[in-house]
Amino acid sequence: MAIKESPKATAAAPSTGIKVIVVGAGFGGLTAAIECRRQGHAVEIYESFPELKPLGDIISFGPNAGRIFRRWSDGTVADRMRPLSIDLRAHGFKIHKYTGELVITQRNPEIDPEAPVFNGHRGELHTVVFNYAREELGIPIHLGHRVTQYWEDEERAGIILDSGEKATADLVVGADGVRSKARELVLGYFDKPKSSGYAVYRAWFPNTDMIKDPRTKHFCENGDTFNGWIGPDVHFLFSTIKNGQDCCWVLTHKDEADIEESWSFPGKLEDVYKVIEDWDPICKAIVEKTPSLVDWKIVYRDPLPRWVSDHGRITLLGDSAHPFLPTSAQGATQAMEDGVTLAVCLKRGGKGRVPATVRAYQDIRYDRVRAVQKTGETTRDMWHKADWDKVAKNPESIQLPREDWIFKFDAEKHAEAVFDEAVRKFL
Ligand SMILES: Cc1cc2nc3c(=O)[nH]c(=O)nc-3n(C[C@H](O)[C@H](O)[C@H](O)COP(=O)(O)OP(=O)(O)OC[C@H]3O[C@@H](n4cnc5c(N)ncnc54)[C@H](O)[C@@H]3O)c2cc1C
């Protein structure tokens, strides 16, 4: 199967002649493909899900992702995401001790129009980006195509699908998520995930029952809200979105169960009630309105020794290279930064230097991603091991960190600035 040059590819930037196959149409894969198109590469996506479904629940994009979305279609993609996303300008983030006392209201910074923040339903935001890639840019996205094998030689790389079909390109990008198949080829072994010791019960539902209950209706009647309750080794976050129309909560708690990571394991309300026994009763009042929930085990993987294959023709990107803890709120954003960086590197390196270029991409990304990953642990531990006497004296200490080195980062500018030096050692 040959990759076709789309007429719109040349409209975006001069064609580089580089052909890229992206495996996976999550935020990482879609961003990689969109940015490859922006930088003049020919790109196609292969995705195992047979049709687009609005899966998942709450997902966060920091300003460092907003800056990327803003560059798409002169800001119209970001404009479409805005009404789907939580608006906390009036409410801020109210942080409570699990017993109910309000500790602090963390104000939200003004939205930077060039680097907006988005928090909303993963499926709804994903649909906006997916449709932009497919309908507006005309990027071929082959749904229902599961990749079963990867291969490479010095000149090319390729994939084999479960149908037996084959496709080849200058570069294959394994943006195939936490249970990546591409990772096996790159590493040469199967890296078994480890339990992180935590799991998250997660739910998203309409406000129908919330507004019937006098204890909970205020969450849905005055715009969007965001509240957190923090206890020993556990935290509960509850938000209302789209002007209070939808409700979402996540409860992170200790869990050593050794089952596979998945967004689809159903959870049980009785188990949630056990975790929040003796808590602020409003937490149970919220949880009992939940029609269904997911029990998502958070797994760990040690940092991979490398993201790039022996011949430099296959690379990992996003969760396949570096899964994140939800408390970092940066997993999807870092996957997007990967995509931007890779596309810039390929443009700068050119068709004749793909392997060196892809190694430079890993080099540019590796330490930053590792440092951002760690913030997931530090935020979780700051909450779960809170010393409430100290917090009483310094309530700001319990706020969500918002760090400039993460949020003010411009992946595109950075890649342009450091590429020449990064690639030199691989030539
Ligand atoms: C169904 C689902 C629901 C999620 N819900 C949430 C959520 O509510 N909140 C949140 O914060 N994060 C959620 N995530 C994770 C979040 O989207 C990612 O952490 C982040 O966006 C990084 O994305 P990624 O593109 O690297 O990986 P992913 O988003 O996991 O995308 C990987 C893609 O690769 C595809 N794929 C995997 N194997 C193959 C194969 N062999 N052949 C072809 N395609 C393949 C998968 O179907 C998937 O679409 C969810 C992920 C998925 C897949």
Side-chain angles (χ1 to χ4, degrees):
M1 208 188 298
I3 295 187
K4 297 173 281 308
E5 288 278 354
S6 151
K8 287 178 186 162
T10 41
S15 170
T16 59
I18 300 173
K19 295 180 178 176
V20 181
I21 287 173
V22 175
V23 180
F27 284 102
L30 287 172
T31 303
I34 292 165
E35 292 291 326
C36 277
R37 171 60 61 81
R38 277 185 75 228
Q39 301 296 350
H41 319 311
V43 63
E44 298 202 11
I45 301 179
Y46 290 84
E47 166 56 59
S48 57
F49 62 68
E51 57 178 319
L52 183 62
K53 284 193 189 153
L55 296 173
D57 47 72
I58 192 94
I59 196 163
S60 300
F61 295 94
N64 44 328
R67 187 171 284 115
I68 299 169
F69 289 127
R70 272 286 301 160
R71 289 182 176 137
W72 296 348
S73 194
D74 287 332
T76 54
V77 175
D79 290 347
R80 281 174 219 149
M81 293 169 69
R82 175 57 44 222
L84 302 173
S85 189
I86 194 164
D87 179 356
L88 294 174
R89 277 173 298 180
H91 187 274
F93 175 31
K94 293 197 189 322
I95 306 177
H96 310 256
K97 191 174 172 186
Y98 66 103
T99 38
E101 303 90 310
L102 177 66
V103 179
I104 192 167
T105 299
Q106 181 172 6
R107 289 282 150 219
N108 276 58
E110 278 302 306
I111 295 178
D112 174 354
E114 293 311 313
V117 171
F118 296 102
N119 290 281
H121 191 285
R122 178 199 181 264
E124 293 174 359
L125 296 171
H126 184 243
T127 301
V128 172
V129 175
F130 184 94
N131 287 341
Y132 169 61
R134 192 183 217 183
E135 311 303 332
E136 275 178 58
L137 296 181
I139 293 173
I141 306 181
H142 307 281
L143 297 183
H145 285 68
R146 175 173 294 282
V147 174
T148 53
Q149 280 181 56
Y150 292 79
W151 63 268
E152 65 168 349
D153 57 30
E154 286 181 6
E155 305 297 322
R156 297 169 311 158
I159 51 172
I160 304 177
L161 304 167
D162 50 4
S163 60
E165 239 175 313
K166 296 175 182 166
T168 56
D170 296 300
L171 177 69
V172 172
V173 179
D176 52 348
V178 283
R179 284 184 282 179
S180 170
K181 181 94 192 149
R183 191 166 50 217
E184 280 175 50
L185 180 126
V186 166
L187 295 180
Y189 58 88
F190 174 70
D191 76 322
K192 197 176 173 327
K194 302 190 282 195
S195 166
S196 69
Y198 290 89
V200 189
Y201 294 119
R202 325 177 52 109
W204 183 289
F205 50 100
N207 69 9
T208 328
D209 292 336
M210 292 283 291
I211 49 177
K212 287 185 198 151
D213 183 342
R215 294 172 303 165
T216 53
K217 66 178 185 171
H218 65 279
F219 290 114
C220 306
E221 285 183 335
N222 306 298
D224 294 344
T225 61
F226 184 27
N227 287 274
W229 287 262
I230 295 167
D233 262 330
V234 51
H235 66 271
F236 176 68
L237 301 177
F238 171 64
S239 25
T240 51
I241 305 110
K242 295 191 274 184
N243 205 20
Q245 185 189 304
D246 286 356
C247 304
C248 171
W249 58 260
V250 291
L251 176 69
T252 302
H253 62 102
K254 282 293 230 187
D255 186 329
E256 300 289 348
D258 187 20
I259 64 163
E260 270 192 280
E261 57 210 318
S262 165
W263 291 92
S264 50
F265 281 119
K268 294 196 207 96
L269 277 179
E270 307 84 73
D271 295 337
V272 181
Y273 296 149
K274 277 185 218 145
V275 179
I276 57 170
E277 228 172 24
D278 306 325
W279 278 43
D280 183 353
I282 196 68
C283 298
K284 187 163 184 214
I286 295 166
V287 168
E288 64 191 17
K289 311 290 184 298
T290 309
S292 66
L293 64 136
V294 167
D295 178 2
W296 178 54
K297 312 292 175 192
I298 310 174
V299 302
Y300 254 143
R301 284 192 164 80
D302 291 328
L304 301 189
R306 59 183 191 159
W307 303 351
V308 178
S309 59
D310 285 346
H311 292 299
R313 295 277 171 185
I314 302 177
T315 185
L316 305 178
L317 179 147
D319 279 2
S320 68
H322 46 68
F324 271 71
L325 294 180
T327 28
S328 74
Q330 276 279 320
T333 301
Q334 291 303 311
M336 293 181 67
E337 286 190 1
D338 286 351
V340 170
T341 307
L342 180 63
V344 169
C345 290
L346 288 171
K347 176 194 69 180
R348 292 287 297 274
K351 189 171 165 77
R353 298 197 295 176
V354 170
T357 294
V358 175
R359 292 184 183 111
Y361 144 78
Q362 173 187 309
D363 229 39
I364 293 170
R365 294 295 299 150
Y366 199 90
D367 289 347
R368 173 170 169 81
V369 167
R370 187 72 198 116
V372 181
Q373 269 178 318
K374 281 193 182 142
T375 65
E377 288 167 56
T378 48
T379 300
R380 181 195 64 200
D381 293 345
M382 173 214 21
W383 279 353
H384 286 192
K385 303 189 187 332
D387 175 334
W388 292 104
D389 292 332
K390 284 193 185 150
V391 171
K393 287 184 199 123
N394 179 15
E396 279 87 11
S397 66
I398 203 89
Q399 296 191 135
L400 267 179
R402 296 195 169 110
E403 300 188 59
D404 283 357
W405 67 272
I406 300 177
F407 284 180
K408 296 217 163 136
F409 189 76
D410 183 332
E412 185 171 340
K413 274 197 189 146
H414 181 72
E416 292 282 7
V418 301
F419 176 76
D420 287 338
E421 201 190 326
V423 79
R424 204 166 298 139
K425 64 177 164 189
F426 302 110
L427 293 173

